[in-house]
Each structure stands twice: as C-alpha cells, then as structure tokens.
Amino acid sequence: MPQLIWQKSSFSDTDGGTTCIELAAGGSDDRHIRESDDPSVIVTTSTAKLRAFILGAKAGEFDHLI
C-alpha cells in the first residue's frame, strides 16, 4: 500500500483527537478509513460507496442499529 496521507475531522478534537475516524485517498478510486485508536486496522472502499454510507448515516438509515 502506498504512503497514505490521513485526514481527520475538526470535530474529532473534543477529546484531544484520541478517538476519531481518519480518511485517506489511495490509488485511483480507493478510499481508506481507520480509527485513530487502532490505526493498524484499515477499511478500503470506493468513493461512491463511502458517499452512500455517509449520506445514509446523515439521513438516519442506521439509527435502528444503536
């Protein structure tokens, strides 16, 4: 895997930035996601699938899971 440049949300800094989701763009259409407290676990997906997930989460489509 090439060297990734990780970006985290400005909303993550409420606790000093120790628990947040980080995103990185990879080759072509790859998007990588990891949690800052366990950076060795990386999920890879496409831009379209990540967008669909984010829009679904914002719309409350997963609220029944919590």
Side-chain angles (χ1 to χ4, degrees):
M1 183 178 301
Q3 182 68 24
L4 298 173
I5 299 171
W6 293 95
Q7 178 182 356
K8 63 179 159 180
S9 169
S10 59
F11 292 105
S12 299
D13 290 333
T14 58
D15 67 348
T18 58
T19 55
C20 62
I21 299 294
E22 299 174 322
L23 298 172
S28 66
D29 191 42
D30 290 344
R31 298 299 174 257
H32 307 281
I33 308 164
R34 71 181 184 183
E35 192 170 347
S36 61
D37 65 346
D38 191 1
S40 65
V41 177
I42 299 171
V43 174
T44 302
T45 190
S46 70
T47 301
K49 289 178 182 179
L50 179 59
R51 179 179 171 78
F53 174 77
I54 291 170
L55 291 174
K58 285 183 173 182
E61 292 180 20
F62 308 110
D63 288 356
H64 67 282
L65 299 173
I66 54 174

Tab-separated table of all heavy atoms in Angstrom:
chain	number	residue	atom	x	y	z
A	1	MET	N	0.853	-1.173	0.000
A	1	MET	CA	0.000	0.000	0.000
A	1	MET	C	0.903	1.243	0.000
A	1	MET	O	1.845	1.322	0.775
A	1	MET	CB	-0.900	-0.022	1.253
A	1	MET	CG	-1.875	1.118	1.324
A	1	MET	SD	-2.990	1.069	2.768
A	1	MET	CE	-3.809	-0.482	2.533
A	2	PRO	N	0.601	2.215	-0.872
A	2	PRO	CA	1.422	3.424	-0.902
A	2	PRO	C	1.267	4.231	0.383
A	2	PRO	O	0.346	4.013	1.159
A	2	PRO	CB	0.862	4.200	-2.096
A	2	PRO	CG	-0.536	3.705	-2.240
A	2	PRO	CD	-0.511	2.272	-1.799
A	3	GLN	N	2.186	5.153	0.598
A	3	GLN	CA	2.110	6.031	1.763
A	3	GLN	C	0.816	6.843	1.691
A	3	GLN	O	0.574	7.522	0.702
A	3	GLN	CB	3.322	6.962	1.788
A	3	GLN	CG	3.363	7.882	2.984
A	3	GLN	CD	3.611	7.139	4.291
A	3	GLN	OE1	4.169	6.059	4.304
A	3	GLN	NE2	3.194	7.717	5.381
A	4	LEU	N	-0.004	6.740	2.715
A	4	LEU	CA	-1.280	7.448	2.738
A	4	LEU	C	-1.178	8.693	3.607
A	4	LEU	O	-0.507	8.693	4.633
A	4	LEU	CB	-2.389	6.539	3.281
A	4	LEU	CG	-2.671	5.285	2.462
A	4	LEU	CD1	-3.659	4.390	3.194
A	4	LEU	CD2	-3.177	5.637	1.076
A	5	ILE	N	-1.860	9.734	3.193
A	5	ILE	CA	-1.944	10.966	3.975
A	5	ILE	C	-3.313	10.982	4.629
A	5	ILE	O	-4.336	11.106	3.948
A	5	ILE	CB	-1.731	12.204	3.084
A	5	ILE	CG1	-0.341	12.142	2.452
A	5	ILE	CG2	-1.911	13.480	3.902
A	5	ILE	CD1	-0.090	13.193	1.397
A	6	TRP	N	-3.339	10.815	5.943
A	6	TRP	CA	-4.590	10.691	6.693
A	6	TRP	C	-5.121	12.060	7.090
A	6	TRP	O	-4.372	12.955	7.449
A	6	TRP	CB	-4.371	9.828	7.936
A	6	TRP	CG	-4.062	8.416	7.565
A	6	TRP	CD1	-2.820	7.858	7.439
A	6	TRP	CD2	-4.995	7.403	7.213
A	6	TRP	NE1	-2.935	6.556	7.050
A	6	TRP	CE2	-4.257	6.242	6.902
A	6	TRP	CE3	-6.380	7.351	7.133
A	6	TRP	CZ2	-4.864	5.057	6.517
A	6	TRP	CZ3	-6.984	6.165	6.760
A	6	TRP	CH2	-6.233	5.039	6.450
A	7	GLN	N	-6.441	12.185	7.019
A	7	GLN	CA	-7.117	13.428	7.382
A	7	GLN	C	-8.199	13.089	8.399
A	7	GLN	O	-8.932	12.122	8.235
A	7	GLN	CB	-7.754	14.043	6.143
A	7	GLN	CG	-8.523	15.299	6.401
A	7	GLN	CD	-9.165	15.840	5.124
A	7	GLN	OE1	-8.967	15.321	4.041
A	7	GLN	NE2	-9.945	16.881	5.281
A	8	LYS	N	-8.296	13.893	9.441
A	8	LYS	CA	-9.363	13.674	10.408
A	8	LYS	C	-10.235	14.913	10.509
A	8	LYS	O	-9.798	16.022	10.235
A	8	LYS	CB	-8.844	13.252	11.766
A	8	LYS	CG	-7.988	14.244	12.491
A	8	LYS	CD	-7.591	13.649	13.834
A	8	LYS	CE	-6.360	14.331	14.387
A	8	LYS	NZ	-5.972	13.763	15.655
A	9	SER	N	-11.439	14.711	10.920
A	9	SER	CA	-12.404	15.791	11.040
A	9	SER	C	-12.013	16.752	12.152
A	9	SER	O	-11.489	16.342	13.181
A	9	SER	CB	-13.785	15.207	11.331
A	9	SER	OG	-14.690	16.224	11.688
A	10	SER	N	-12.321	18.012	11.954
A	10	SER	CA	-12.093	19.000	13.015
A	10	SER	C	-13.015	18.751	14.200
A	10	SER	O	-12.759	19.212	15.305
A	10	SER	CB	-12.294	20.412	12.476
A	10	SER	OG	-13.605	20.557	11.964
A	11	PHE	N	-14.080	17.995	14.004
A	11	PHE	CA	-14.997	17.652	15.091
A	11	PHE	C	-14.382	16.616	16.035
A	11	PHE	O	-14.889	16.382	17.114
A	11	PHE	CB	-16.314	17.102	14.545
A	11	PHE	CG	-17.127	18.116	13.811
A	11	PHE	CD1	-17.198	18.106	12.429
A	11	PHE	CD2	-17.821	19.104	14.493
A	11	PHE	CE1	-17.941	19.041	11.743
A	11	PHE	CE2	-18.576	20.044	13.824
A	11	PHE	CZ	-18.628	20.016	12.443
A	12	SER	N	-13.282	16.002	15.645
A	12	SER	CA	-12.661	14.940	16.440
A	12	SER	C	-11.820	15.454	17.594
A	12	SER	O	-11.378	14.684	18.417
A	12	SER	CB	-11.772	14.081	15.544
A	12	SER	OG	-12.533	13.482	14.544
A	13	ASP	N	-11.550	16.725	17.655
A	13	ASP	CA	-10.613	17.250	18.634
A	13	ASP	C	-11.227	17.560	19.995
A	13	ASP	O	-10.565	18.106	20.857
A	13	ASP	CB	-9.939	18.509	18.094
A	13	ASP	CG	-8.976	18.167	16.970
A	13	ASP	OD1	-8.460	17.045	16.947
A	13	ASP	OD2	-8.767	19.033	16.131
A	14	THR	N	-12.471	17.187	20.243
A	14	THR	CA	-13.096	17.490	21.534
A	14	THR	C	-12.447	16.737	22.686
A	14	THR	O	-12.504	17.171	23.819
A	14	THR	CB	-14.599	17.185	21.507
A	14	THR	OG1	-14.787	15.811	21.174
A	14	THR	CG2	-15.316	18.073	20.499
A	15	ASP	N	-11.816	15.596	22.413
A	15	ASP	CA	-11.151	14.824	23.465
A	15	ASP	C	-9.644	14.755	23.242
A	15	ASP	O	-8.988	13.838	23.697
A	15	ASP	CB	-11.745	13.420	23.555
A	15	ASP	CG	-11.456	12.591	22.320
A	15	ASP	OD1	-10.996	13.168	21.318
A	15	ASP	OD2	-11.669	11.371	22.360
A	16	GLY	N	-9.116	15.717	22.525
A	16	GLY	CA	-7.687	15.710	22.242
A	16	GLY	C	-7.329	14.919	20.999
A	16	GLY	O	-6.169	14.664	20.728
A	17	GLY	N	-8.334	14.492	20.229
A	17	GLY	CA	-8.082	13.781	18.987
A	17	GLY	C	-7.714	12.329	19.151
A	17	GLY	O	-7.147	11.735	18.248
A	18	THR	N	-8.032	11.721	20.291
A	18	THR	CA	-7.634	10.330	20.510
A	18	THR	C	-8.660	9.329	19.994
A	18	THR	O	-8.324	8.163	19.828
A	18	THR	CB	-7.393	10.067	22.001
A	18	THR	OG1	-8.581	10.364	22.720
A	18	THR	CG2	-6.246	10.910	22.519
A	19	THR	N	-9.884	9.746	19.773
A	19	THR	CA	-10.897	8.830	19.247
A	19	THR	C	-11.603	9.503	18.083
A	19	THR	O	-12.511	10.291	18.266
A	19	THR	CB	-11.939	8.445	20.313
A	19	THR	OG1	-12.512	9.647	20.843
A	19	THR	CG2	-11.324	7.648	21.424
A	20	CYS	N	-11.143	9.180	16.889
A	20	CYS	CA	-11.760	9.765	15.718
A	20	CYS	C	-11.561	8.843	14.522
A	20	CYS	O	-10.739	7.935	14.543
A	20	CYS	CB	-11.175	11.140	15.430
A	20	CYS	SG	-9.421	11.106	15.069
A	21	ILE	N	-12.326	9.119	13.496
A	21	ILE	CA	-12.194	8.414	12.234
A	21	ILE	C	-11.299	9.245	11.326
A	21	ILE	O	-11.442	10.460	11.243
A	21	ILE	CB	-13.581	8.220	11.573
A	21	ILE	CG1	-14.491	7.392	12.462
A	21	ILE	CG2	-13.451	7.615	10.192
A	21	ILE	CD1	-14.047	5.967	12.663
A	22	GLU	N	-10.377	8.574	10.653
A	22	GLU	CA	-9.481	9.245	9.725
A	22	GLU	C	-9.704	8.684	8.320
A	22	GLU	O	-9.976	7.491	8.161
A	22	GLU	CB	-8.030	9.033	10.135
A	22	GLU	CG	-7.712	9.586	11.504
A	22	GLU	CD	-6.318	9.248	11.979
A	22	GLU	OE1	-5.841	8.126	11.719
A	22	GLU	OE2	-5.711	10.111	12.620
A	23	LEU	N	-9.596	9.539	7.309
A	23	LEU	CA	-9.784	9.147	5.913
A	23	LEU	C	-8.525	9.453	5.114
A	23	LEU	O	-7.824	10.429	5.396
A	23	LEU	CB	-10.949	9.917	5.289
A	23	LEU	CG	-12.322	9.715	5.901
A	23	LEU	CD1	-13.318	10.687	5.287
A	23	LEU	CD2	-12.784	8.293	5.691
A	24	ALA	N	-8.278	8.633	4.090
A	24	ALA	CA	-7.161	8.875	3.172
A	24	ALA	C	-7.568	8.417	1.777
A	24	ALA	O	-8.283	7.422	1.620
A	24	ALA	CB	-5.916	8.125	3.616
A	25	ALA	N	-7.120	9.156	0.778
A	25	ALA	CA	-7.341	8.761	-0.612
A	25	ALA	C	-6.184	7.878	-1.049
A	25	ALA	O	-5.026	8.170	-0.760
A	25	ALA	CB	-7.432	9.990	-1.497
A	26	GLY	N	-6.512	6.795	-1.718
A	26	GLY	CA	-5.480	5.894	-2.223
A	26	GLY	C	-5.392	5.997	-3.727
A	26	GLY	O	-5.835	6.971	-4.325
A	27	GLY	N	-4.847	4.971	-4.343
A	27	GLY	CA	-4.743	4.951	-5.796
A	27	GLY	C	-6.110	4.889	-6.453
A	27	GLY	O	-7.051	4.330	-5.905
A	28	SER	N	-6.219	5.473	-7.602
A	28	SER	CA	-7.448	5.554	-8.406
A	28	SER	C	-8.646	5.945	-7.555
A	28	SER	O	-8.722	7.049	-7.068
A	28	SER	CB	-7.686	4.257	-9.176
A	28	SER	OG	-7.941	3.184	-8.290
A	29	ASP	N	-9.573	5.023	-7.327
A	29	ASP	CA	-10.827	5.340	-6.628
A	29	ASP	C	-10.853	4.824	-5.189
A	29	ASP	O	-11.882	4.850	-4.547
A	29	ASP	CB	-11.995	4.752	-7.424
A	29	ASP	CG	-13.341	5.243	-6.948
A	29	ASP	OD1	-13.468	6.457	-6.667
A	29	ASP	OD2	-14.265	4.420	-6.831
A	30	ASP	N	-9.739	4.330	-4.674
A	30	ASP	CA	-9.711	3.775	-3.315
A	30	ASP	C	-9.816	4.869	-2.258
A	30	ASP	O	-9.165	5.909	-2.355
A	30	ASP	CB	-8.426	2.994	-3.068
A	30	ASP	CG	-8.371	1.701	-3.843
A	30	ASP	OD1	-9.419	1.252	-4.327
A	30	ASP	OD2	-7.267	1.144	-3.960
A	31	ARG	N	-10.620	4.610	-1.245
A	31	ARG	CA	-10.716	5.469	-0.064
A	31	ARG	C	-10.490	4.576	1.143
A	31	ARG	O	-11.039	3.481	1.232
A	31	ARG	CB	-12.078	6.155	0.027
A	31	ARG	CG	-12.381	7.080	-1.147
A	31	ARG	CD	-11.353	8.221	-1.226
A	31	ARG	NE	-11.530	9.039	-2.412
A	31	ARG	CZ	-10.765	8.960	-3.500
A	31	ARG	NH1	-9.796	8.080	-3.562
A	31	ARG	NH2	-10.970	9.745	-4.517
A	32	HIS	N	-9.661	5.038	2.076
A	32	HIS	CA	-9.289	4.245	3.239
A	32	HIS	C	-9.813	4.920	4.494
A	32	HIS	O	-9.775	6.144	4.624
A	32	HIS	CB	-7.771	4.097	3.315
A	32	HIS	CG	-7.180	3.574	2.044
A	32	HIS	ND1	-7.209	2.248	1.708
A	32	HIS	CD2	-6.570	4.213	1.019
A	32	HIS	CE1	-6.632	2.076	0.531
A	32	HIS	NE2	-6.237	3.264	0.092
A	33	ILE	N	-10.284	4.100	5.421
A	33	ILE	CA	-10.858	4.588	6.677
A	33	ILE	C	-10.200	3.821	7.812
A	33	ILE	O	-10.011	2.603	7.727
A	33	ILE	CB	-12.379	4.331	6.729
A	33	ILE	CG1	-13.062	4.886	5.476
A	33	ILE	CG2	-12.999	4.928	7.982
A	33	ILE	CD1	-14.463	4.351	5.273
A	34	ARG	N	-9.866	4.533	8.889
A	34	ARG	CA	-9.330	3.877	10.080
A	34	ARG	C	-9.765	4.661	11.317
A	34	ARG	O	-10.143	5.829	11.231
A	34	ARG	CB	-7.813	3.769	10.039
A	34	ARG	CG	-7.088	5.091	10.205
A	34	ARG	CD	-5.601	4.914	10.133
A	34	ARG	NE	-4.905	6.180	10.385
A	34	ARG	CZ	-3.614	6.343	10.324
A	34	ARG	NH1	-2.834	5.319	10.021
A	34	ARG	NH2	-3.067	7.520	10.572
A	35	GLU	N	-9.692	4.002	12.453
A	35	GLU	CA	-9.985	4.646	13.731
A	35	GLU	C	-8.647	5.010	14.371
A	35	GLU	O	-7.717	4.192	14.404
A	35	GLU	CB	-10.775	3.711	14.631
A	35	GLU	CG	-11.345	4.404	15.822
A	35	GLU	CD	-12.324	3.531	16.578
A	35	GLU	OE1	-12.747	2.485	16.078
A	35	GLU	OE2	-12.647	3.918	17.701
A	36	SER	N	-8.540	6.213	14.899
A	36	SER	CA	-7.254	6.695	15.386
A	36	SER	C	-6.690	5.877	16.546
A	36	SER	O	-5.478	5.780	16.690
A	36	SER	CB	-7.349	8.164	15.795
A	36	SER	OG	-8.281	8.314	16.844
A	37	ASP	N	-7.548	5.259	17.354
A	37	ASP	CA	-7.016	4.494	18.481
A	37	ASP	C	-6.562	3.091	18.085
A	37	ASP	O	-5.977	2.380	18.887
A	37	ASP	CB	-8.007	4.452	19.649
A	37	ASP	CG	-9.285	3.712	19.336
A	37	ASP	OD1	-9.544	3.439	18.144
A	37	ASP	OD2	-10.037	3.411	20.271
A	38	ASP	N	-6.795	2.667	16.830
A	38	ASP	CA	-6.289	1.395	16.322
A	38	ASP	C	-5.947	1.565	14.837
A	38	ASP	O	-6.619	1.027	13.962
A	38	ASP	CB	-7.324	0.294	16.507
A	38	ASP	CG	-6.760	-1.090	16.241
A	38	ASP	OD1	-5.548	-1.204	15.928
A	38	ASP	OD2	-7.527	-2.061	16.326
A	39	PRO	N	-4.905	2.335	14.524
A	39	PRO	CA	-4.607	2.686	13.134
A	39	PRO	C	-4.136	1.534	12.253
A	39	PRO	O	-4.034	1.691	11.042
A	39	PRO	CB	-3.530	3.758	13.262
A	39	PRO	CG	-2.893	3.507	14.578
A	39	PRO	CD	-3.974	2.955	15.466
A	40	SER	N	-3.869	0.377	12.829
A	40	SER	CA	-3.426	-0.742	12.009
A	40	SER	C	-4.575	-1.401	11.255
A	40	SER	O	-4.355	-2.130	10.289
A	40	SER	CB	-2.710	-1.780	12.867
A	40	SER	OG	-3.614	-2.350	13.798
A	41	VAL	N	-5.817	-1.151	11.681
A	41	VAL	CA	-6.994	-1.714	11.006
A	41	VAL	C	-7.512	-0.669	10.020
A	41	VAL	O	-7.946	0.408	10.419
A	41	VAL	CB	-8.101	-2.091	12.018
A	41	VAL	CG1	-9.322	-2.606	11.290
A	41	VAL	CG2	-7.577	-3.102	13.015
A	42	ILE	N	-7.446	-1.003	8.730
A	42	ILE	CA	-7.837	-0.075	7.673
A	42	ILE	C	-8.913	-0.723	6.812
A	42	ILE	O	-8.755	-1.851	6.351
A	42	ILE	CB	-6.625	0.307	6.809
A	42	ILE	CG1	-5.562	1.001	7.671
A	42	ILE	CG2	-7.045	1.195	5.645
A	42	ILE	CD1	-4.245	1.235	6.963
A	43	VAL	N	-10.001	-0.001	6.597
A	43	VAL	CA	-11.070	-0.438	5.699
A	43	VAL	C	-10.894	0.309	4.389
A	43	VAL	O	-10.697	1.525	4.378
A	43	VAL	CB	-12.456	-0.133	6.304
A	43	VAL	CG1	-13.561	-0.460	5.320
A	43	VAL	CG2	-12.647	-0.885	7.605
A	44	THR	N	-10.952	-0.415	3.275
A	44	THR	CA	-10.823	0.201	1.958
A	44	THR	C	-12.133	0.053	1.200
A	44	THR	O	-12.734	-1.020	1.189
A	44	THR	CB	-9.685	-0.462	1.157
A	44	THR	OG1	-8.471	-0.338	1.913
A	44	THR	CG2	-9.502	0.191	-0.190
A	45	THR	N	-12.566	1.143	0.578
A	45	THR	CA	-13.812	1.149	-0.179
A	45	THR	C	-13.657	2.099	-1.361
A	45	THR	O	-12.587	2.661	-1.575
A	45	THR	CB	-14.997	1.548	0.735
A	45	THR	OG1	-16.222	1.329	0.033
A	45	THR	CG2	-14.912	2.978	1.201
A	46	SER	N	-14.723	2.281	-2.107
A	46	SER	CA	-14.698	3.214	-3.237
A	46	SER	C	-15.318	4.542	-2.825
A	46	SER	O	-16.020	4.634	-1.813
A	46	SER	CB	-15.479	2.634	-4.417
A	46	SER	OG	-16.866	2.618	-4.118
A	47	THR	N	-15.085	5.560	-3.629
A	47	THR	CA	-15.660	6.874	-3.362
A	47	THR	C	-17.189	6.801	-3.345
A	47	THR	O	-17.829	7.355	-2.450
A	47	THR	CB	-15.202	7.884	-4.433
A	47	THR	OG1	-13.781	7.942	-4.416
A	47	THR	CG2	-15.759	9.262	-4.170
A	48	ALA	N	-17.770	6.110	-4.307
A	48	ALA	CA	-19.235	6.024	-4.395
A	48	ALA	C	-19.835	5.320	-3.179
A	48	ALA	O	-20.845	5.758	-2.631
A	48	ALA	CB	-19.644	5.309	-5.677
A	49	LYS	N	-19.213	4.246	-2.740
A	49	LYS	CA	-19.733	3.508	-1.584
A	49	LYS	C	-19.569	4.300	-0.294
A	49	LYS	O	-20.455	4.296	0.563
A	49	LYS	CB	-19.053	2.149	-1.472
A	49	LYS	CG	-19.488	1.204	-2.567
A	49	LYS	CD	-18.766	-0.121	-2.470
A	49	LYS	CE	-19.187	-1.034	-3.603
A	49	LYS	NZ	-18.496	-2.320	-3.550
A	50	LEU	N	-18.450	4.998	-0.146
A	50	LEU	CA	-18.252	5.830	1.041
A	50	LEU	C	-19.274	6.958	1.061
A	50	LEU	O	-19.863	7.247	2.096
A	50	LEU	CB	-16.826	6.388	1.075
A	50	LEU	CG	-16.497	7.295	2.253
A	50	LEU	CD1	-16.704	6.580	3.582
A	50	LEU	CD2	-15.069	7.813	2.135
A	51	ARG	N	-19.495	7.585	-0.079
A	51	ARG	CA	-20.500	8.657	-0.168
A	51	ARG	C	-21.883	8.143	0.204
A	51	ARG	O	-22.610	8.775	0.960
A	51	ARG	CB	-20.505	9.250	-1.576
A	51	ARG	CG	-21.524	10.349	-1.770
A	51	ARG	CD	-21.433	10.909	-3.199
A	51	ARG	NE	-22.510	11.793	-3.489
A	51	ARG	CZ	-22.596	13.053	-3.086
A	51	ARG	NH1	-21.647	13.561	-2.344
A	51	ARG	NH2	-23.632	13.799	-3.413
A	52	ALA	N	-22.264	6.980	-0.313
A	52	ALA	CA	-23.575	6.405	0.002
A	52	ALA	C	-23.704	6.124	1.495
A	52	ALA	O	-24.752	6.378	2.094
A	52	ALA	CB	-23.789	5.124	-0.803
A	53	PHE	N	-22.633	5.625	2.107
A	53	PHE	CA	-22.665	5.354	3.543
A	53	PHE	C	-22.831	6.636	4.346
A	53	PHE	O	-23.643	6.719	5.259
A	53	PHE	CB	-21.387	4.624	3.984
A	53	PHE	CG	-21.305	4.463	5.467
A	53	PHE	CD1	-22.062	3.498	6.112
A	53	PHE	CD2	-20.496	5.288	6.224
A	53	PHE	CE1	-22.014	3.360	7.492
A	53	PHE	CE2	-20.430	5.157	7.600
A	53	PHE	CZ	-21.192	4.194	8.233
A	54	ILE	N	-22.055	7.661	4.011
A	54	ILE	CA	-22.132	8.928	4.741
A	54	ILE	C	-23.514	9.553	4.597
A	54	ILE	O	-24.103	10.010	5.582
A	54	ILE	CB	-21.023	9.892	4.274
A	54	ILE	CG1	-19.660	9.368	4.733
A	54	ILE	CG2	-21.263	11.302	4.807
A	54	ILE	CD1	-18.475	10.093	4.141
A	55	LEU	N	-24.047	9.562	3.383
A	55	LEU	CA	-25.390	10.122	3.183
A	55	LEU	C	-26.442	9.316	3.939
A	55	LEU	O	-27.375	9.884	4.519
A	55	LEU	CB	-25.719	10.177	1.691
A	55	LEU	CG	-24.913	11.193	0.879
A	55	LEU	CD1	-25.225	11.042	-0.615
A	55	LEU	CD2	-25.188	12.604	1.346
A	56	GLY	N	-26.308	7.995	3.967
A	56	GLY	CA	-27.233	7.153	4.714
A	56	GLY	C	-27.156	7.407	6.213
A	56	GLY	O	-28.172	7.471	6.900
A	57	ALA	N	-25.940	7.568	6.713
A	57	ALA	CA	-25.775	7.854	8.146
A	57	ALA	C	-26.390	9.202	8.500
A	57	ALA	O	-27.078	9.335	9.523
A	57	ALA	CB	-24.293	7.827	8.519
A	58	LYS	N	-26.170	10.200	7.662
A	58	LYS	CA	-26.759	11.523	7.905
A	58	LYS	C	-28.283	11.480	7.870
A	58	LYS	O	-28.948	12.216	8.592
A	58	LYS	CB	-26.262	12.526	6.868
A	58	LYS	CG	-24.849	12.990	7.097
A	58	LYS	CD	-24.476	14.040	6.059
A	58	LYS	CE	-23.143	14.661	6.337
A	58	LYS	NZ	-22.813	15.716	5.352
A	59	ALA	N	-28.828	10.615	7.033
A	59	ALA	CA	-30.277	10.501	6.885
A	59	ALA	C	-30.914	9.617	7.957
A	59	ALA	O	-32.127	9.468	8.003
A	59	ALA	CB	-30.625	9.955	5.499
A	60	GLY	N	-30.092	9.008	8.814
A	60	GLY	CA	-30.622	8.186	9.896
A	60	GLY	C	-30.935	6.753	9.511
A	60	GLY	O	-31.615	6.044	10.252
A	61	GLU	N	-30.439	6.303	8.367
A	61	GLU	CA	-30.753	4.947	7.896
A	61	GLU	C	-30.209	3.841	8.798
A	61	GLU	O	-30.658	2.701	8.711
A	61	GLU	CB	-30.225	4.749	6.479
A	61	GLU	CG	-30.957	5.590	5.451
A	61	GLU	CD	-30.422	5.386	4.051
A	61	GLU	OE1	-29.767	4.359	3.782
A	61	GLU	OE2	-30.664	6.270	3.202
A	62	PHE	N	-29.260	4.161	9.664
A	62	PHE	CA	-28.651	3.136	10.520
A	62	PHE	C	-29.007	3.334	11.991
A	62	PHE	O	-28.473	2.634	12.848
A	62	PHE	CB	-27.126	3.148	10.343
A	62	PHE	CG	-26.704	3.072	8.894
A	62	PHE	CD1	-26.131	4.175	8.265
A	62	PHE	CD2	-26.888	1.912	8.161
A	62	PHE	CE1	-25.757	4.102	6.933
A	62	PHE	CE2	-26.514	1.837	6.830
A	62	PHE	CZ	-25.947	2.937	6.214
A	63	ASP	N	-29.888	4.266	12.276
A	63	ASP	CA	-30.227	4.574	13.675
A	63	ASP	C	-30.807	3.366	14.413
A	63	ASP	O	-30.666	3.256	15.622
A	63	ASP	CB	-31.208	5.734	13.739
A	63	ASP	CG	-30.556	7.065	13.387
A	63	ASP	OD1	-29.333	7.093	13.169
A	63	ASP	OD2	-31.275	8.067	13.307
A	64	HIS	N	-31.451	2.469	13.700
A	64	HIS	CA	-32.050	1.293	14.347
A	64	HIS	C	-30.984	0.323	14.868
A	64	HIS	O	-31.296	-0.574	15.653
A	64	HIS	CB	-32.988	0.569	13.376
A	64	HIS	CG	-32.287	-0.066	12.226
A	64	HIS	ND1	-31.835	0.674	11.136
A	64	HIS	CD2	-31.924	-1.342	12.000
A	64	HIS	CE1	-31.247	-0.149	10.285
A	64	HIS	NE2	-31.280	-1.384	10.780
A	65	LEU	N	-29.738	0.506	14.481
A	65	LEU	CA	-28.671	-0.388	14.928
A	65	LEU	C	-28.095	-0.017	16.276
A	65	LEU	O	-27.353	-0.808	16.875
A	65	LEU	CB	-27.537	-0.408	13.882
A	65	LEU	CG	-27.941	-0.904	12.495
A	65	LEU	CD1	-26.785	-0.718	11.523
A	65	LEU	CD2	-28.379	-2.348	12.558
A	66	ILE	N	-28.423	1.167	16.778
A	66	ILE	CA	-27.863	1.581	18.067
A	66	ILE	C	-28.937	1.617	19.138
A	66	ILE	O	-30.089	1.649	18.890
A	66	ILE	CB	-27.164	2.945	17.993
A	66	ILE	CG1	-28.084	4.018	17.424
A	66	ILE	CG2	-25.925	2.828	17.148
A	66	ILE	CD1	-27.508	5.413	17.468
